[in-house]
Amino acid sequence: MILIVGGAGYIGSHLNKEINKKGIETVIFDNLSYGHRDFVKWGTFERGDLGNIDDIRAVFKKYPIEAVMHFAAFTYVGESVEDPQKYYTNNVKNTLNLLQVMLEENVKYFVFSSTCATYGNPVEIPITENHPQNPINPYGKGKLMVETVLKDYSDAYGLKYASLRYFNAAGADPEGEVGELHNPETHLIPLILDVAAGRREDIKIFGTDYDTPDGTCIRDYIHVTDLAEAHILALEYLQNGGESDFFNLGNGNGFSVKEVIETAEEVTGKDIRAVEAERRAGDPPVLVGSSDKAKEKLNWKPKYDELSTIIETAWNWHKKLK
Ligand code: UDP
């Protein structure tokens, strides 16, 4: 059985669906602070909090857990600057609780949700796993701290981990059973789709004077179902004796904010009112990753790498929201 911590959230719920499709049983552990109970449509749900180590111990005692995938983290970069304690406590300290119980219970396999934010401002594009890691906000710094812990725990205790550094997760389950629902929503694609759906008046373009072809920021959008698949492959890789390692998960193609808006207009057939606004603090002009390592070592083959497909799946989900 696989324990999915944070399995009621956006990426965890998509993983939960895909892994259950393969016949692998899951237990979902989530405190529902940001997750949604109705996103847990597969596996067994256990409500609990990583801040309370006895909650974690109880789940490990109750189920034959063989491996853990850990999605439960706070992810608002701006908030992490304003309230770093919130981020270090949940994303670092509570992760140490989880790892502690794994060691107590002798559970060796760990798939960790890391982030391209551990790289900081890129000095080279595309970003490979060997790119220097100089995160510029507490969110990225906390994720890098956990990566450091994982290396040391692996050396000392034989923990087998895969740390997956996501670029911009986007899109929704192509069958529309789960999708992206954040509160508050800060991500570009769902905000644009809110405009398309008539729930929001306009989309603000944060900066149009960047050193990019159209002046807006370029990001690497990766479909959430492709991300889910990579987690399953990473777990298989570890269980087959693969060495603990770090993998980028991105699409390798960058799209500007304006390109995303234009593609969303094509996909939805709606006019999307865009307003030029100031730059948002902490946004690097370009973030594009190389995922060649995941493709080679995990045999990962992203299926939904077209931006239009990513937006279409998101739209199919989004337009049903109230
Ligand atoms: N962005 C924007 N308007 C918005 C939200 C985001 O122009 O209302 C831009 C943001 O500055 C960044 C890109 O869209 O360049 C993707 O932002 P998002 O918050 O989705 O992901 P991030 O790259 O911060 O992880």
Side-chain angles (χ1 to χ4, degrees):
M1 235 174 181
I2 309 300
L3 181 65
I4 307 176
V5 180
Y10 173 42
I11 302 171
S13 64
H14 285 78
L15 173 276
N16 187 31
K17 171 170 179 167
E18 296 307 312
I19 200 166
N20 271 277
K21 270 195 199 166
K22 298 194 196 288
I24 297 171
E25 286 187 299
T26 57
V27 184
I28 292 79
F29 182 88
D30 201 301
N31 66 4
L32 299 182
S33 62
Y34 286 89
H36 310 283
R37 178 64 185 87
D38 59 354
F39 277 21
V40 184
K41 299 182 171 168
W42 309 271
T44 307
F45 181 64
E46 289 285 347
R47 186 166 184 167
D49 197 303
L50 287 182
N52 180 357
I53 198 161
D54 288 331
D55 282 4
I56 312 173
R57 288 193 176 114
V59 170
F60 278 76
K61 293 281 177 241
K62 191 165 168 190
Y63 300 95
I65 310 286
E66 303 149 67
V68 177
M69 294 194 183
H70 178 27
F71 297 89
F74 297 143
T75 60
Y76 297 113
V77 168
E79 185 186 54
S80 80
V81 177
E82 280 150 30
D83 190 2
Q85 182 174 242
K86 175 172 176 179
Y87 279 71
Y88 290 125
T89 302
N90 187 45
N91 296 7
V92 182
K93 186 172 164 218
N94 290 351
T95 299
L96 296 186
N97 286 345
L98 176 60
L99 291 169
Q100 180 179 334
V101 178
M102 287 181 66
L103 296 179
E104 286 170 7
E105 296 291 331
N106 206 22
V107 174
K108 291 239 168 296
Y109 301 110
F110 189 64
V111 181
F112 178 60
S113 300
S114 188
T115 167
C116 65
T118 59
Y119 295 117
N121 284 317
V123 293
E124 204 175 57
I125 297 287
I127 297 169
T128 67
E129 289 80 357
N130 298 322
H131 187 285
Q133 287 179 294
N134 293 307
I136 56 172
N137 50 60
Y139 170 66
K141 288 179 197 174
K143 290 285 183 175
L144 181 57
M145 286 176 194
V146 174
E147 288 200 347
T148 307
V149 167
L150 293 178
K151 273 188 223 158
D152 290 344
Y153 281 23
S154 170
D155 291 344
Y157 311 122
L159 180 77
K160 299 286 179 197
Y161 67 85
S163 179
L164 307 181
R165 297 177 184 152
Y166 309 158
F167 283 70
N168 285 57
D173 168 35
E175 289 152 352
E177 291 189 277
V178 277
E180 185 167 15
L181 187 58
H182 295 115
N183 186 16
E185 187 53 84
T186 61
H187 294 103
L188 181 65
I189 292 177
L191 288 176
I192 290 174
L193 296 179
D194 270 345
V195 181
R199 283 193 292 268
R200 186 180 289 269
E201 207 153 287
D202 56 39
I203 180 77
K204 307 247 176 326
I205 302 180
F206 294 150
T208 51
D209 57 352
Y210 283 100
D211 185 16
T212 58
D214 67 16
T216 67
C217 284
I218 294 178
R219 292 288 178 275
D220 177 331
Y221 296 91
I222 161 88
H223 194 280
V224 62
T225 302
D226 284 333
L227 271 186
E229 192 60 34
H231 287 72
I232 300 170
L233 292 169
L235 178 61
E236 278 173 11
Y237 160 87
L238 293 177
Q239 288 177 324
N240 290 331
E243 286 296 314
S244 293
D245 213 338
F246 303 89
F247 298 94
N248 283 345
L249 295 178
N251 168 333
N253 287 313
F255 298 96
S256 73
V257 173
K258 282 189 177 162
E259 284 174 315
V260 175
I261 296 171
E262 280 157 23
T263 308
E265 286 190 319
E266 283 160 26
V267 167
T268 62
K270 310 271 185 196
D271 282 336
I272 294 165
R273 192 174 130 79
V275 178
E276 296 190 358
E278 292 295 302
R279 290 183 178 196
R280 185 172 70 177
D283 268 342
V286 181
L287 278 177
V288 177
S290 161
S291 304
D292 289 353
K293 183 171 167 183
K295 288 178 182 157
E296 277 159 33
K297 290 186 86 168
L298 304 180
N299 203 20
W300 181 53
K301 296 187 192 74
K303 281 198 275 194
Y304 307 101
D305 52 359
E306 297 285 330
L307 182 62
S308 56
T309 314
I310 293 173
I311 295 179
E312 195 181 345
T313 59
W315 177 234
N316 287 341
W317 155 264
H318 215 82
K319 65 188 177 194
K320 290 187 300 197
L321 295 176
K322 294 280 166 341

mmCIF file with all atom_site columns, all heavy atoms in Angstrom, residues 239-264:
data_model
loop_
_atom_site.group_PDB
_atom_site.id
_atom_site.type_symbol
_atom_site.label_atom_id
_atom_site.label_alt_id
_atom_site.label_comp_id
_atom_site.label_asym_id
_atom_site.label_entity_id
_atom_site.label_seq_id
_atom_site.pdbx_PDB_ins_code
_atom_site.Cartn_x
_atom_site.Cartn_y
_atom_site.Cartn_z
_atom_site.occupancy
_atom_site.B_iso_or_equiv
_atom_site.pdbx_formal_charge
_atom_site.auth_seq_id
_atom_site.auth_comp_id
_atom_site.auth_asym_id
_atom_site.auth_atom_id
_atom_site.pdbx_PDB_model_num
ATOM 1   N N   . GLN A 1 239 ? 11.889 1.007  -6.350  1.00 0.00 ? 239 GLN A N   1
ATOM 2   C CA  . GLN A 1 239 ? 11.601 -0.368 -5.906  1.00 0.00 ? 239 GLN A CA  1
ATOM 3   C C   . GLN A 1 239 ? 12.403 -1.398 -6.703  1.00 0.00 ? 239 GLN A C   1
ATOM 4   O O   . GLN A 1 239 ? 12.648 -2.496 -6.227  1.00 0.00 ? 239 GLN A O   1
ATOM 5   C CB  . GLN A 1 239 ? 10.098 -0.643 -6.008  1.00 0.00 ? 239 GLN A CB  1
ATOM 6   C CG  . GLN A 1 239 ? 9.319  0.106  -4.921  1.00 0.00 ? 239 GLN A CG  1
ATOM 7   C CD  . GLN A 1 239 ? 7.817  -0.058 -5.021  1.00 0.00 ? 239 GLN A CD  1
ATOM 8   O OE1 . GLN A 1 239 ? 7.290  -0.119 -6.137  1.00 0.00 ? 239 GLN A OE1 1
ATOM 9   N NE2 . GLN A 1 239 ? 7.127  -0.096 -3.903  1.00 0.00 ? 239 GLN A NE2 1
ATOM 10  N N   . ASN A 1 240 ? 12.824 -1.010 -7.921  1.00 0.00 ? 240 ASN A N   1
ATOM 11  C CA  . ASN A 1 240 ? 13.660 -1.913 -8.716  1.00 0.00 ? 240 ASN A CA  1
ATOM 12  C C   . ASN A 1 240 ? 15.148 -1.719 -8.441  1.00 0.00 ? 240 ASN A C   1
ATOM 13  O O   . ASN A 1 240 ? 15.991 -2.178 -9.203  1.00 0.00 ? 240 ASN A O   1
ATOM 14  C CB  . ASN A 1 240 ? 13.404 -1.695 -10.216 1.00 0.00 ? 240 ASN A CB  1
ATOM 15  C CG  . ASN A 1 240 ? 12.032 -2.199 -10.618 1.00 0.00 ? 240 ASN A CG  1
ATOM 16  O OD1 . ASN A 1 240 ? 11.511 -3.131 -10.004 1.00 0.00 ? 240 ASN A OD1 1
ATOM 17  N ND2 . ASN A 1 240 ? 11.444 -1.586 -11.629 1.00 0.00 ? 240 ASN A ND2 1
ATOM 18  N N   . GLY A 1 241 ? 15.463 -0.979 -7.377  1.00 0.00 ? 241 GLY A N   1
ATOM 19  C CA  . GLY A 1 241 ? 16.865 -0.846 -6.981  1.00 0.00 ? 241 GLY A CA  1
ATOM 20  C C   . GLY A 1 241 ? 17.541 0.415  -7.496  1.00 0.00 ? 241 GLY A C   1
ATOM 21  O O   . GLY A 1 241 ? 18.767 0.559  -7.353  1.00 0.00 ? 241 GLY A O   1
ATOM 22  N N   . GLY A 1 242 ? 16.781 1.336  -8.104  1.00 0.00 ? 242 GLY A N   1
ATOM 23  C CA  . GLY A 1 242 ? 17.378 2.588  -8.591  1.00 0.00 ? 242 GLY A CA  1
ATOM 24  C C   . GLY A 1 242 ? 17.942 3.413  -7.437  1.00 0.00 ? 242 GLY A C   1
ATOM 25  O O   . GLY A 1 242 ? 17.435 3.363  -6.321  1.00 0.00 ? 242 GLY A O   1
ATOM 26  N N   . GLU A 1 243 ? 19.019 4.125  -7.741  1.00 0.00 ? 243 GLU A N   1
ATOM 27  C CA  . GLU A 1 243 ? 19.658 4.990  -6.745  1.00 0.00 ? 243 GLU A CA  1
ATOM 28  C C   . GLU A 1 243 ? 18.782 6.195  -6.430  1.00 0.00 ? 243 GLU A C   1
ATOM 29  O O   . GLU A 1 243 ? 18.143 6.740  -7.341  1.00 0.00 ? 243 GLU A O   1
ATOM 30  C CB  . GLU A 1 243 ? 20.979 5.528  -7.319  1.00 0.00 ? 243 GLU A CB  1
ATOM 31  C CG  . GLU A 1 243 ? 22.097 4.519  -7.381  1.00 0.00 ? 243 GLU A CG  1
ATOM 32  C CD  . GLU A 1 243 ? 22.512 4.047  -6.002  1.00 0.00 ? 243 GLU A CD  1
ATOM 33  O OE1 . GLU A 1 243 ? 22.686 4.900  -5.109  1.00 0.00 ? 243 GLU A OE1 1
ATOM 34  O OE2 . GLU A 1 243 ? 22.634 2.822  -5.815  1.00 0.00 ? 243 GLU A OE2 1
ATOM 35  N N   . SER A 1 244 ? 18.815 6.638  -5.204  1.00 0.00 ? 244 SER A N   1
ATOM 36  C CA  . SER A 1 244 ? 18.127 7.877  -4.830  1.00 0.00 ? 244 SER A CA  1
ATOM 37  C C   . SER A 1 244 ? 18.615 9.011  -5.731  1.00 0.00 ? 244 SER A C   1
ATOM 38  O O   . SER A 1 244 ? 19.803 9.093  -6.046  1.00 0.00 ? 244 SER A O   1
ATOM 39  C CB  . SER A 1 244 ? 18.458 8.223  -3.385  1.00 0.00 ? 244 SER A CB  1
ATOM 40  O OG  . SER A 1 244 ? 17.895 7.269  -2.531  1.00 0.00 ? 244 SER A OG  1
ATOM 41  N N   . ASP A 1 245 ? 17.682 9.883  -6.140  1.00 0.00 ? 245 ASP A N   1
ATOM 42  C CA  . ASP A 1 245 ? 18.105 10.891 -7.119  1.00 0.00 ? 245 ASP A CA  1
ATOM 43  C C   . ASP A 1 245 ? 17.079 12.030 -7.199  1.00 0.00 ? 245 ASP A C   1
ATOM 44  O O   . ASP A 1 245 ? 15.987 11.954 -6.635  1.00 0.00 ? 245 ASP A O   1
ATOM 45  C CB  . ASP A 1 245 ? 18.266 10.240 -8.502  1.00 0.00 ? 245 ASP A CB  1
ATOM 46  C CG  . ASP A 1 245 ? 19.386 10.882 -9.308  1.00 0.00 ? 245 ASP A CG  1
ATOM 47  O OD1 . ASP A 1 245 ? 19.746 12.040 -9.023  1.00 0.00 ? 245 ASP A OD1 1
ATOM 48  O OD2 . ASP A 1 245 ? 19.887 10.221 -10.240 1.00 0.00 ? 245 ASP A OD2 1
ATOM 49  N N   . PHE A 1 246 ? 17.470 13.066 -7.951  1.00 0.00 ? 246 PHE A N   1
ATOM 50  C CA  . PHE A 1 246 ? 16.651 14.268 -8.171  1.00 0.00 ? 246 PHE A CA  1
ATOM 51  C C   . PHE A 1 246 ? 16.284 14.326 -9.649  1.00 0.00 ? 246 PHE A C   1
ATOM 52  O O   . PHE A 1 246 ? 17.137 14.075 -10.499 1.00 0.00 ? 246 PHE A O   1
ATOM 53  C CB  . PHE A 1 246 ? 17.454 15.516 -7.791  1.00 0.00 ? 246 PHE A CB  1
ATOM 54  C CG  . PHE A 1 246 ? 17.947 15.478 -6.383  1.00 0.00 ? 246 PHE A CG  1
ATOM 55  C CD1 . PHE A 1 246 ? 19.191 14.908 -6.088  1.00 0.00 ? 246 PHE A CD1 1
ATOM 56  C CD2 . PHE A 1 246 ? 17.178 15.954 -5.347  1.00 0.00 ? 246 PHE A CD2 1
ATOM 57  C CE1 . PHE A 1 246 ? 19.638 14.834 -4.781  1.00 0.00 ? 246 PHE A CE1 1
ATOM 58  C CE2 . PHE A 1 246 ? 17.613 15.891 -4.035  1.00 0.00 ? 246 PHE A CE2 1
ATOM 59  C CZ  . PHE A 1 246 ? 18.848 15.327 -3.746  1.00 0.00 ? 246 PHE A CZ  1
ATOM 60  N N   . PHE A 1 247 ? 15.057 14.684 -9.927  1.00 0.00 ? 247 PHE A N   1
ATOM 61  C CA  . PHE A 1 247 ? 14.614 14.748 -11.327 1.00 0.00 ? 247 PHE A CA  1
ATOM 62  C C   . PHE A 1 247 ? 13.784 16.003 -11.566 1.00 0.00 ? 247 PHE A C   1
ATOM 63  O O   . PHE A 1 247 ? 12.827 16.269 -10.821 1.00 0.00 ? 247 PHE A O   1
ATOM 64  C CB  . PHE A 1 247 ? 13.721 13.532 -11.657 1.00 0.00 ? 247 PHE A CB  1
ATOM 65  C CG  . PHE A 1 247 ? 14.403 12.212 -11.518 1.00 0.00 ? 247 PHE A CG  1
ATOM 66  C CD1 . PHE A 1 247 ? 14.305 11.488 -10.330 1.00 0.00 ? 247 PHE A CD1 1
ATOM 67  C CD2 . PHE A 1 247 ? 15.158 11.682 -12.559 1.00 0.00 ? 247 PHE A CD2 1
ATOM 68  C CE1 . PHE A 1 247 ? 14.938 10.260 -10.183 1.00 0.00 ? 247 PHE A CE1 1
ATOM 69  C CE2 . PHE A 1 247 ? 15.800 10.451 -12.412 1.00 0.00 ? 247 PHE A CE2 1
ATOM 70  C CZ  . PHE A 1 247 ? 15.684 9.743  -11.233 1.00 0.00 ? 247 PHE A CZ  1
ATOM 71  N N   . ASN A 1 248 ? 14.104 16.715 -12.620 1.00 0.00 ? 248 ASN A N   1
ATOM 72  C CA  . ASN A 1 248 ? 13.228 17.794 -13.065 1.00 0.00 ? 248 ASN A CA  1
ATOM 73  C C   . ASN A 1 248 ? 12.017 17.200 -13.757 1.00 0.00 ? 248 ASN A C   1
ATOM 74  O O   . ASN A 1 248 ? 12.134 16.210 -14.504 1.00 0.00 ? 248 ASN A O   1
ATOM 75  C CB  . ASN A 1 248 ? 13.931 18.656 -14.123 1.00 0.00 ? 248 ASN A CB  1
ATOM 76  C CG  . ASN A 1 248 ? 14.935 19.611 -13.533 1.00 0.00 ? 248 ASN A CG  1
ATOM 77  O OD1 . ASN A 1 248 ? 14.950 19.849 -12.333 1.00 0.00 ? 248 ASN A OD1 1
ATOM 78  N ND2 . ASN A 1 248 ? 15.766 20.173 -14.386 1.00 0.00 ? 248 ASN A ND2 1
ATOM 79  N N   . LEU A 1 249 ? 10.883 17.834 -13.567 1.00 0.00 ? 249 LEU A N   1
ATOM 80  C CA  . LEU A 1 249 ? 9.697  17.456 -14.343 1.00 0.00 ? 249 LEU A CA  1
ATOM 81  C C   . LEU A 1 249 ? 9.112  18.713 -14.967 1.00 0.00 ? 249 LEU A C   1
ATOM 82  O O   . LEU A 1 249 ? 8.472  19.530 -14.293 1.00 0.00 ? 249 LEU A O   1
ATOM 83  C CB  . LEU A 1 249 ? 8.656  16.776 -13.447 1.00 0.00 ? 249 LEU A CB  1
ATOM 84  C CG  . LEU A 1 249 ? 9.085  15.441 -12.852 1.00 0.00 ? 249 LEU A CG  1
ATOM 85  C CD1 . LEU A 1 249 ? 7.986  14.902 -11.942 1.00 0.00 ? 249 LEU A CD1 1
ATOM 86  C CD2 . LEU A 1 249 ? 9.415  14.407 -13.935 1.00 0.00 ? 249 LEU A CD2 1
ATOM 87  N N   . GLY A 1 250 ? 9.408  18.858 -16.234 1.00 0.00 ? 250 GLY A N   1
ATOM 88  C CA  . GLY A 1 250 ? 8.885  19.999 -16.983 1.00 0.00 ? 250 GLY A CA  1
ATOM 89  C C   . GLY A 1 250 ? 8.609  19.539 -18.388 1.00 0.00 ? 250 GLY A C   1
ATOM 90  O O   . GLY A 1 250 ? 8.741  18.358 -18.710 1.00 0.00 ? 250 GLY A O   1
ATOM 91  N N   . ASN A 1 251 ? 8.264  20.500 -19.201 1.00 0.00 ? 251 ASN A N   1
ATOM 92  C CA  . ASN A 1 251 ? 7.811  20.171 -20.531 1.00 0.00 ? 251 ASN A CA  1
ATOM 93  C C   . ASN A 1 251 ? 8.911  20.457 -21.555 1.00 0.00 ? 251 ASN A C   1
ATOM 94  O O   . ASN A 1 251 ? 8.875  19.981 -22.682 1.00 0.00 ? 251 ASN A O   1
ATOM 95  C CB  . ASN A 1 251 ? 6.530  21.023 -20.671 1.00 0.00 ? 251 ASN A CB  1
ATOM 96  C CG  . ASN A 1 251 ? 5.964  21.137 -22.007 1.00 0.00 ? 251 ASN A CG  1
ATOM 97  O OD1 . ASN A 1 251 ? 6.663  21.035 -22.994 1.00 0.00 ? 251 ASN A OD1 1
ATOM 98  N ND2 . ASN A 1 251 ? 4.680  21.359 -22.066 1.00 0.00 ? 251 ASN A ND2 1
ATOM 99  N N   . GLY A 1 252 ? 9.905  21.267 -21.098 1.00 0.00 ? 252 GLY A N   1
ATOM 100 C CA  . GLY A 1 252 ? 11.016 21.598 -21.977 1.00 0.00 ? 252 GLY A CA  1
ATOM 101 C C   . GLY A 1 252 ? 10.693 22.739 -22.923 1.00 0.00 ? 252 GLY A C   1
ATOM 102 O O   . GLY A 1 252 ? 11.577 23.279 -23.579 1.00 0.00 ? 252 GLY A O   1
ATOM 103 N N   . ASN A 1 253 ? 9.413  23.105 -23.008 1.00 0.00 ? 253 ASN A N   1
ATOM 104 C CA  . ASN A 1 253 ? 8.995  24.221 -23.846 1.00 0.00 ? 253 ASN A CA  1
ATOM 105 C C   . ASN A 1 253 ? 8.508  25.339 -22.955 1.00 0.00 ? 253 ASN A C   1
ATOM 106 O O   . ASN A 1 253 ? 7.754  25.097 -22.022 1.00 0.00 ? 253 ASN A O   1
ATOM 107 C CB  . ASN A 1 253 ? 7.807  23.829 -24.731 1.00 0.00 ? 253 ASN A CB  1
ATOM 108 C CG  . ASN A 1 253 ? 8.233  22.906 -25.836 1.00 0.00 ? 253 ASN A CG  1
ATOM 109 O OD1 . ASN A 1 253 ? 9.228  23.153 -26.505 1.00 0.00 ? 253 ASN A OD1 1
ATOM 110 N ND2 . ASN A 1 253 ? 7.501  21.821 -26.006 1.00 0.00 ? 253 ASN A ND2 1
ATOM 111 N N   . GLY A 1 254 ? 8.907  26.539 -23.284 1.00 0.00 ? 254 GLY A N   1
ATOM 112 C CA  . GLY A 1 254 ? 8.437  27.673 -22.497 1.00 0.00 ? 254 GLY A CA  1
ATOM 113 C C   . GLY A 1 254 ? 7.354  28.431 -23.244 1.00 0.00 ? 254 GLY A C   1
ATOM 114 O O   . GLY A 1 254 ? 7.371  28.514 -24.476 1.00 0.00 ? 254 GLY A O   1
ATOM 115 N N   . PHE A 1 255 ? 6.412  28.965 -22.494 1.00 0.00 ? 255 PHE A N   1
ATOM 116 C CA  . PHE A 1 255 ? 5.346  29.787 -23.087 1.00 0.00 ? 255 PHE A CA  1
ATOM 117 C C   . PHE A 1 255 ? 5.229  31.083 -22.289 1.00 0.00 ? 255 PHE A C   1
ATOM 118 O O   . PHE A 1 255 ? 5.280  31.061 -21.060 1.00 0.00 ? 255 PHE A O   1
ATOM 119 C CB  . PHE A 1 255 ? 4.007  29.040 -23.066 1.00 0.00 ? 255 PHE A CB  1
ATOM 120 C CG  . PHE A 1 255 ? 4.043  27.778 -23.872 1.00 0.00 ? 255 PHE A CG  1
ATOM 121 C CD1 . PHE A 1 255 ? 4.282  26.564 -23.251 1.00 0.00 ? 255 PHE A CD1 1
ATOM 122 C CD2 . PHE A 1 255 ? 3.891  27.807 -25.249 1.00 0.00 ? 255 PHE A CD2 1
ATOM 123 C CE1 . PHE A 1 255 ? 4.354  25.387 -23.991 1.00 0.00 ? 255 PHE A CE1 1
ATOM 124 C CE2 . PHE A 1 255 ? 3.948  26.649 -25.993 1.00 0.00 ? 255 PHE A CE2 1
ATOM 125 C CZ  . PHE A 1 255 ? 4.181  25.429 -25.365 1.00 0.00 ? 255 PHE A CZ  1
ATOM 126 N N   . SER A 1 256 ? 5.054  32.176 -23.015 1.00 0.00 ? 256 SER A N   1
ATOM 127 C CA  . SER A 1 256 ? 4.940  33.470 -22.351 1.00 0.00 ? 256 SER A CA  1
ATOM 128 C C   . SER A 1 256 ? 3.523  33.647 -21.825 1.00 0.00 ? 256 SER A C   1
ATOM 129 O O   . SER A 1 256 ? 2.584  32.960 -22.259 1.00 0.00 ? 256 SER A O   1
ATOM 130 C CB  . SER A 1 256 ? 5.278  34.594 -23.326 1.00 0.00 ? 256 SER A CB  1
ATOM 131 O OG  . SER A 1 256 ? 4.221  34.740 -24.250 1.00 0.00 ? 256 SER A OG  1
ATOM 132 N N   . VAL A 1 257 ? 3.366  34.604 -20.918 1.00 0.00 ? 257 VAL A N   1
ATOM 133 C CA  . VAL A 1 257 ? 2.030  34.888 -20.370 1.00 0.00 ? 257 VAL A CA  1
ATOM 134 C C   . VAL A 1 257 ? 1.086  35.240 -21.519 1.00 0.00 ? 257 VAL A C   1
ATOM 135 O O   . VAL A 1 257 ? -0.053 34.756 -21.577 1.00 0.00 ? 257 VAL A O   1
ATOM 136 C CB  . VAL A 1 257 ? 2.115  36.027 -19.320 1.00 0.00 ? 257 VAL A CB  1
ATOM 137 C CG1 . VAL A 1 257 ? 0.720  36.438 -18.872 1.00 0.00 ? 257 VAL A CG1 1
ATOM 138 C CG2 . VAL A 1 257 ? 2.954  35.594 -18.124 1.00 0.00 ? 257 VAL A CG2 1
ATOM 139 N N   . LYS A 1 258 ? 1.567  36.050 -22.456 1.00 0.00 ? 258 LYS A N   1
ATOM 140 C CA  . LYS A 1 258 ? 0.687  36.416 -23.584 1.00 0.00 ? 258 LYS A CA  1
ATOM 141 C C   . LYS A 1 258 ? 0.312  35.196 -24.428 1.00 0.00 ? 258 LYS A C   1
ATOM 142 O O   . LYS A 1 258 ? -0.826 35.081 -24.881 1.00 0.00 ? 258 LYS A O   1
ATOM 143 C CB  . LYS A 1 258 ? 1.370  37.475 -24.458 1.00 0.00 ? 258 LYS A CB  1
ATOM 144 C CG  . LYS A 1 258 ? 1.291  38.865 -23.853 1.00 0.00 ? 258 LYS A CG  1
ATOM 145 C CD  . LYS A 1 258 ? 1.781  39.934 -24.812 1.00 0.00 ? 258 LYS A CD  1
ATOM 146 C CE  . LYS A 1 258 ? 1.625  41.315 -24.192 1.00 0.00 ? 258 LYS A CE  1
ATOM 147 N NZ  . LYS A 1 258 ? 2.444  42.336 -24.866 1.00 0.00 ? 258 LYS A NZ  1
ATOM 148 N N   . GLU A 1 259 ? 1.269  34.309 -24.643 1.00 0.00 ? 259 GLU A N   1
ATOM 149 C CA  . GLU A 1 259 ? 0.949  33.092 -25.411 1.00 0.00 ? 259 GLU A CA  1
ATOM 150 C C   . GLU A 1 259 ? -0.090 32.231 -24.695 1.00 0.00 ? 259 GLU A C   1
ATOM 151 O O   . GLU A 1 259 ? -0.959 31.629 -25.328 1.00 0.00 ? 259 GLU A O   1
ATOM 152 C CB  . GLU A 1 259 ? 2.219  32.259 -25.643 1.00 0.00 ? 259 GLU A CB  1
ATOM 153 C CG  . GLU A 1 259 ? 3.123  32.827 -26.707 1.00 0.00 ? 259 GLU A CG  1
ATOM 154 C CD  . GLU A 1 259 ? 4.440  32.052 -26.819 1.00 0.00 ? 259 GLU A CD  1
ATOM 155 O OE1 . GLU A 1 259 ? 5.059  31.734 -25.778 1.00 0.00 ? 259 GLU A OE1 1
ATOM 156 O OE2 . GLU A 1 259 ? 4.841  31.780 -27.953 1.00 0.00 ? 259 GLU A OE2 1
ATOM 157 N N   . VAL A 1 260 ? 0.013  32.183 -23.375 1.00 0.00 ? 260 VAL A N   1
ATOM 158 C CA  . VAL A 1 260 ? -0.964 31.387 -22.617 1.00 0.00 ? 260 VAL A CA  1
ATOM 159 C C   . VAL A 1 260 ? -2.357 32.012 -22.782 1.00 0.00 ? 260 VAL A C   1
ATOM 160 O O   . VAL A 1 260 ? -3.348 31.305 -23.015 1.00 0.00 ? 260 VAL A O   1
ATOM 161 C CB  . VAL A 1 260 ? -0.562 31.283 -21.125 1.00 0.00 ? 260 VAL A CB  1
ATOM 162 C CG1 . VAL A 1 260 ? -1.640 30.572 -20.331 1.00 0.00 ? 260 VAL A CG1 1
ATOM 163 C CG2 . VAL A 1 260 ? 0.767  30.552 -20.982 1.00 0.00 ? 260 VAL A CG2 1
ATOM 164 N N   . ILE A 1 261 ? -2.428 33.327 -22.710 1.00 0.00 ? 261 ILE A N   1
ATOM 165 C CA  . ILE A 1 261 ? -3.729 33.996 -22.854 1.00 0.00 ? 261 ILE A CA  1
ATOM 166 C C   . ILE A 1 261 ? -4.292 33.753 -24.262 1.00 0.00 ? 261 ILE A C   1
ATOM 167 O O   . ILE A 1 261 ? -5.474 33.398 -24.420 1.00 0.00 ? 261 ILE A O   1
ATOM 168 C CB  . ILE A 1 261 ? -3.593 35.508 -22.557 1.00 0.00 ? 261 ILE A CB  1
ATOM 169 C CG1 . ILE A 1 261 ? -3.178 35.719 -21.090 1.00 0.00 ? 261 ILE A CG1 1
ATOM 170 C CG2 . ILE A 1 261 ? -4.900 36.250 -22.860 1.00 0.00 ? 261 ILE A CG2 1
ATOM 171 C CD1 . ILE A 1 261 ? -2.795 37.154 -20.734 1.00 0.00 ? 261 ILE A CD1 1
ATOM 172 N N   . GLU A 1 262 ? -3.431 33.903 -25.277 1.00 0.00 ? 262 GLU A N   1
ATOM 173 C CA  . GLU A 1 262 ? -3.911 33.690 -26.660 1.00 0.00 ? 262 GLU A CA  1
ATOM 174 C C   . GLU A 1 262 ? -4.392 32.253 -26.858 1.00 0.00 ? 262 GLU A C   1
ATOM 175 O O   . GLU A 1 262 ? -5.438 32.009 -27.464 1.00 0.00 ? 262 GLU A O   1
ATOM 176 C CB  . GLU A 1 262 ? -2.783 33.971 -27.661 1.00 0.00 ? 262 GLU A CB  1
ATOM 177 C CG  . GLU A 1 262 ? -2.601 35.454 -27.928 1.00 0.00 ? 262 GLU A CG  1
ATOM 178 C CD  . GLU A 1 262 ? -1.196 35.789 -28.450 1.00 0.00 ? 262 GLU A CD  1
ATOM 179 O OE1 . GLU A 1 262 ? -0.527 34.884 -29.013 1.00 0.00 ? 262 GLU A OE1 1
ATOM 180 O OE2 . GLU A 1 262 ? -0.775 36.947 -28.266 1.00 0.00 ? 262 GLU A OE2 1
ATOM 181 N N   . THR A 1 263 ? -3.626 31.303 -26.340 1.00 0.00 ? 263 THR A N   1
ATOM 182 C CA  . THR A 1 263 ? -4.028 29.898 -26.499 1.00 0.00 ? 263 THR A CA  1
ATOM 183 C C   . THR A 1 263 ? -5.341 29.643 -25.771 1.00 0.00 ? 263 THR A C   1
ATOM 184 O O   . THR A 1 263 ? -6.216 28.921 -26.271 1.00 0.00 ? 263 THR A O   1
ATOM 185 C CB  . THR A 1 263 ? -2.924 28.953 -25.978 1.00 0.00 ? 263 THR A CB  1
ATOM 186 O OG1 . THR A 1 263 ? -1.704 29.331 -26.598 1.00 0.00 ? 263 THR A OG1 1
ATOM 187 C CG2 . THR A 1 263 ? -3.222 27.504 -26.278 1.00 0.00 ? 263 THR A CG2 1
ATOM 188 N N   . ALA A 1 264 ? -5.508 30.260 -24.614 1.00 0.00 ? 264 ALA A N   1
ATOM 189 C CA  . ALA A 1 264 ? -6.764 30.074 -23.864 1.00 0.00 ? 264 ALA A CA  1
ATOM 190 C C   . ALA A 1 264 ? -7.939 30.680 -24.637 1.00 0.00 ? 264 ALA A C   1
ATOM 191 O O   . ALA A 1 264 ? -9.051 30.132 -24.605 1.00 0.00 ? 264 ALA A O   1
ATOM 192 C CB  . ALA A 1 264 ? -6.646 30.705 -22.478 1.00 0.00 ? 264 ALA A CB  1
#
